[in-house]
């Protein structure tokens, strides 16, 4: 059973606009969340993370929001650039086993020039 | 050469054949992880090493899968008697931090490019 879900397999956005990628989780023990970005034929690359003590973390154009009561997090990219086109994976780990990451199935983002 | 490297990048095996996949982590990284990524899915945890100790192998799908890291650096994932359902990309990741470091960044895992295994 998937504990981390990304229900949108793909997203298409115009350059300069906001991209919002969503992720839901079921395990209430998850306390650390990450977003990874993956280009074809490469391994995932760490993008941004957030711990459960916060509800927002920002790094440049990337902001992650965490809603613990809804077990939902989102990644906002503003402004979106064509180079952001990639597959984005949400991942989570639990306080009792922080080394074990659970990944969602990914959302393919296409930023159109 | 600062990143995680994996070899081979591509491997084609006949069903029943044994394969060995190699991972060279980032120098000095204590933790090493193996993941399996099926087509259209996210990476799934297989196993985790801290130095040479295999601390969690709960994700290994069967006893045909075996991983080792004898000297605490390079790791090998071995799959015996490969089956078609073993076809996937096998990702290796390494991490410097092995415990809580506080703040928003801890335990970031750095991934290699993966080995794509195709079992015919």
């Amino acid at each position: 059973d998937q504990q981390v879900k990304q229900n949108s397999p793909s997203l298409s956005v115009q350059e300069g606009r906001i991209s919002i990628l969503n992720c839901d989780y079921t395990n209430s023990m998850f306390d650390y969340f990450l977003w990874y970005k993956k280009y074809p034929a490469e391994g995932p690359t760490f993008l941004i993370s957030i711990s459960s003590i916060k509800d927002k973390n920002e790094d440049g154009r990337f902001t992650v929001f965490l809603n613990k009561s809804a077990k939902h997090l989102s990644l906002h990219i503003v402004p979106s650039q064509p180079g952001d086109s990639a597959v984005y994976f949400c991942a989570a780990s639990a306080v009792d086993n922080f080394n074990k990451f659970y990944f969602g199935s990914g959302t393919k983002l296409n930023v159109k020039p | 050469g600062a990143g995680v490297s994996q070899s081979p990048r591509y491997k084609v095996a006949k069903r029943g054949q044994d394969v060995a996949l190699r991972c060279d982590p980032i120098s000095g990284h204590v933790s090493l992880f193996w993941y399996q990524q099926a087509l259209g899915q996210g990476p799934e945890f297989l196993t985790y090493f801290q130095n040479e100790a295999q601390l969690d192998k709960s994700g290994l799908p069967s006893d045909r899968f075996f991983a080792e890291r004898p000297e605490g650096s390079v790791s090998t994932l071995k799959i015996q008697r490969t089956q078609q359902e073993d076809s996937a990309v096998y990702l290796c990741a390494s991490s410097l931090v092995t415990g809580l470091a506080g703040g928003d960044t801890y335990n970031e895992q750095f991934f290699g490019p993966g080995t794509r295994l195709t079992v015919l």
Side-chain angles (χ1 to χ4, degrees), chain A residues 17-48:
Chain A
R17 306 295 290 268
I18 185 171
S19 295
I20 300 176
L21 296 97
N22 293 303
C23 178
D24 296 291
Y25 61 96
T26 57
N27 190 339
S28 57
M29 294 295 287
F30 286 156
D31 72 335
Y32 185 66
F33 306 88
L34 311 91
W35 285 94
Y36 277 83
K37 173 180 178 179
K38 185 182 183 304
Y39 293 117
E42 295 183 12
T45 302
F46 171 77
L47 197 55
I48 192 168

Side-chain angles (χ1 to χ4, degrees), chain A residues 26-95:
Chain A
T26 57
N27 190 339
S28 57
M29 294 295 287
F30 286 156
D31 72 335
Y32 185 66
F33 306 88
L34 311 91
W35 285 94
Y36 277 83
K37 173 180 178 179
K38 185 182 183 304
Y39 293 117
E42 295 183 12
T45 302
F46 171 77
L47 197 55
I48 192 168
S49 64
I50 188 168
S51 66
S52 59
I53 61 173
K54 295 194 173 186
D55 54 18
K56 176 182 174 181
N57 187 30
E58 197 171 346
D59 183 3
R61 297 185 297 114
F62 303 90
T63 303
V64 55
F65 295 92
L66 175 62
N67 183 334
K68 290 184 288 292
S69 60
K71 293 191 177 69
H72 177 84
L73 65 156
S74 61
L75 175 69
H76 293 209
I77 307 173
V78 183
S80 301
Q81 299 174 354
D84 296 329
S85 297
V87 177
Y88 289 78
F89 291 100
C90 168
S93 67
V95 61

Side-chain angles (χ1 to χ4, degrees), chain B residues 17-36:
Chain B
Q17 189 178 349
D18 297 349
V19 298
L21 313 180
R22 177 187 168 109
C23 172
D24 286 79
I26 293 172
S27 177
H29 276 197
V30 172
S31 302
L32 185 144
F33 308 83
W34 284 99
Y35 291 85
Q36 180 189 61

